């Protein structure tokens, strides 16, 4: 006699079979994901791509500071140059041109009865705004970025620039307080937890985007850095000339920067 088949038992049997297949599928997916997370197309492990992500982020913060310093110095230089056009006295404007490029140590010597006298507003401008070419001699203010080799890929160049910036980052910086160190440690822990929850491929994609963004910023920063270096060289060379030829030379130095493509590309950027 054929036993009676209960529809409810048949349904439960199919449901159990479906659950087992689902669990097996999920298990296979986890194994595949674990295999993917053990390495990347570049041969890096997940821990290594996380470390690269941290390096890129830290260097980006450092480069942003250098870039803003260089850009603001040149933008302020142009503002001061335009303000100096209102000064009709050639001797006074000559002193202003020198001061806006390099703040003279003996600024108060111009207050003697034998020299031009600055008004209060001009003195405020000179005292409160940093000179430009002094940045050239302070390597911790503007870090030096190497040139990209012809056969060097973008990721290789960016990582080489990162290594250089990581070395120079320690110079010229003050000692951090315990509260600052604790804050940075907490921020780092939060970042690492976020990356840990991501797949290796996702972190790699983020690293690629960060590398490309950093590369573009490196190029813009290098352009401004070169302008400051050239300004210093021309300024020092101009000291060999008498006042009136040098007066024209100083104006031309500033106007050359004003019309340089590297400066024109960034001068209209809005600061965050």
């Amino acid at each position: 006699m054929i036993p009676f088949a209960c529809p409810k038992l048949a349904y439960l049997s199919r449901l159990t079979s479906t659950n087992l297949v689902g669990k097996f599928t999920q298990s296979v997916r986890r194994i595949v994901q674990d295999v993917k997370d053990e390495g990347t197309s570049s041969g890096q492990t997940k821990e290594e791509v996380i470390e690269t992500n941290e390096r890129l982020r830290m260097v980006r913060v450092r480069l942003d500071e250098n870039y803003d310093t260089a850009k603001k110095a040149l933008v302020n230089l142009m503002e001061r140059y335009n303000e100096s056009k209102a000064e009709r006295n050639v001797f006074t404007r000559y002193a202003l041109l020198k001061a806006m490029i390099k703040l003279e140590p003996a600024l108060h010597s111009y207050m003697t009865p034998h020299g031009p006298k600055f008004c209060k507003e001009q003195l405020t401008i000179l005292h409160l705004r940093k000179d430009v070419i002094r940045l050239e001699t302070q390597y911790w203010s503007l870090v030096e970025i190497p040139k990209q080799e012809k056969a060097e890929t973008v990721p290789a160049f960016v990582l080489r620039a990162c290594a250089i910036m990581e070395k120079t980052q320690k110079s010229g910086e003050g000692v951090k307080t315990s509260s600052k160190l604790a804050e940075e440690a907490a921020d780092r822990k939060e970042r690492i937890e976020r990356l840990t929850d991501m797949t290796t491929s996702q972190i790699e994609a983020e690293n690629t985007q960060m590398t490309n963004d950093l590369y573009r910023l490196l190029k813009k920063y290098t352009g401004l850095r070169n302008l400051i270096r050239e300004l210093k060289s021309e300024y020092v060379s101009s000291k060999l000339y008498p006042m009136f030829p040098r007066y024209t030379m100083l104006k031309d130095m500033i106007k050359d920067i004003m019309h340089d493509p590297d400066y024109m590309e960034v001068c209209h950027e809005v600061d965050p």
Side-chain angles (χ1 to χ4, degrees):
M1 180 176 179
I2 301 174
F4 178 76
C6 177
K8 186 173 182 181
L9 290 175
Y11 170 77
L12 290 174
S13 177
R14 287 195 302 271
L15 182 62
T16 302
S17 176
T18 302
N19 288 340
L20 289 174
V21 172
K23 290 180 179 179
F24 176 76
T25 302
Q26 292 176 358
S27 179
V28 170
R29 286 176 178 172
R30 282 197 298 268
I31 293 172
V32 172
Q33 186 60 58
D34 289 341
V35 171
K36 286 183 178 180
D37 282 346
E38 283 191 7
T40 66
S41 58
S42 60
Q44 290 184 312
T45 64
K46 186 171 185 178
E47 289 72 20
E48 288 172 336
V49 294
I50 289 177
E51 181 183 351
T52 300
N53 186 283
E54 273 292 285
R55 289 185 66 194
L56 292 171
R57 193 202 67 81
M58 295 294 291
V59 170
R60 176 58 189 260
V61 172
R62 175 66 174 174
L63 186 60
D64 276 335
E65 294 173 356
N66 281 260
Y67 175 70
D68 288 341
T69 299
K71 184 182 71 172
K72 288 176 181 178
L74 293 176
V75 169
N76 285 342
L77 174 65
M78 299 308 149
E79 292 176 353
R80 293 163 68 181
Y81 174 77
N82 289 328
E83 291 168 357
S84 72
K85 292 179 181 179
E87 179 55 59
R88 298 302 179 185
N89 186 302
V90 175
F91 294 96
T92 303
R93 193 181 183 208
Y94 173 65
L96 286 171
L97 290 173
K98 289 196 302 178
M100 69 180 65
I101 297 176
K102 181 178 182 180
L103 190 60
E104 296 293 340
L107 178 63
H108 292 285
S109 65
Y110 294 108
M111 297 295 292
T112 64
H114 305 288
K117 184 176 181 180
F118 292 116
C119 67
K120 181 179 179 181
E121 290 76 11
Q122 290 169 333
L123 283 172
T124 301
I125 292 173
L126 292 176
H127 277 301
L128 294 183
R129 293 182 177 173
K130 293 182 179 179
D131 56 305
V132 179
I133 67 173
R134 186 175 297 176
L135 295 174
E136 169 65 20
T137 59
Q138 294 178 344
Y139 60 90
W140 59 84
S141 296
L142 291 182
V143 70
E144 185 71 24
I145 300 297
K147 291 183 179 180
Q148 183 179 8
E149 302 295 338
K150 291 183 179 180
E152 192 173 25
T153 63
V154 169
F157 169 68
V158 169
L159 288 178
R160 185 160 65 93
C162 285
I164 292 175
M165 294 197 69
E166 285 167 345
K167 292 178 182 178
T168 58
Q169 185 173 357
K170 298 177 182 179
S171 302
E173 294 183 346
V175 178
K176 295 180 181 178
T177 63
S178 57
S179 59
K180 181 66 176 178
L181 291 172
E183 180 183 349
E184 291 181 353
D187 291 340
R188 174 180 168 79
K189 181 181 178 182
E190 184 178 341
R191 293 193 306 270
I192 297 300
E193 288 176 351
R194 181 185 72 86
L195 294 172
T196 303
D197 291 337
M198 297 168 61
T199 66
T200 305
S201 299
Q202 289 174 330
I203 302 173
E204 269 200 316
E206 184 174 299
N207 288 356
T208 299
Q209 185 61 52
M210 291 173 67
T211 298
N212 293 335
D213 292 343
L214 196 54
Y215 178 75
R216 286 189 287 268
L217 186 60
L218 281 167
K219 289 298 183 180
K220 291 199 297 183
Y221 168 74
T222 301
L224 300 184
R225 182 73 172 80
N226 290 337
L227 288 177
I228 293 175
R229 182 186 296 107
E230 292 169 7
L231 179 63
K232 177 194 174 184
S233 177
E234 292 176 359
Y235 178 85
V236 172
S237 299
S238 71
K239 292 180 179 181
L240 301 174
Y241 294 86
M243 172 189 161
F244 287 105
R246 193 184 184 208
Y247 172 74
T248 302
M249 293 172 70
L250 293 176
K251 289 196 299 181
D252 290 341
M253 289 177 204
I254 300 174
K255 287 190 289 186
D256 286 346
I257 293 178
M258 187 182 297
H259 299 107
D260 190 280
D262 287 328
Y263 173 75
M264 294 178 68
E265 180 185 0
V266 304
C267 65
H268 299 299
E269 290 180 349
V270 178
D271 294 329

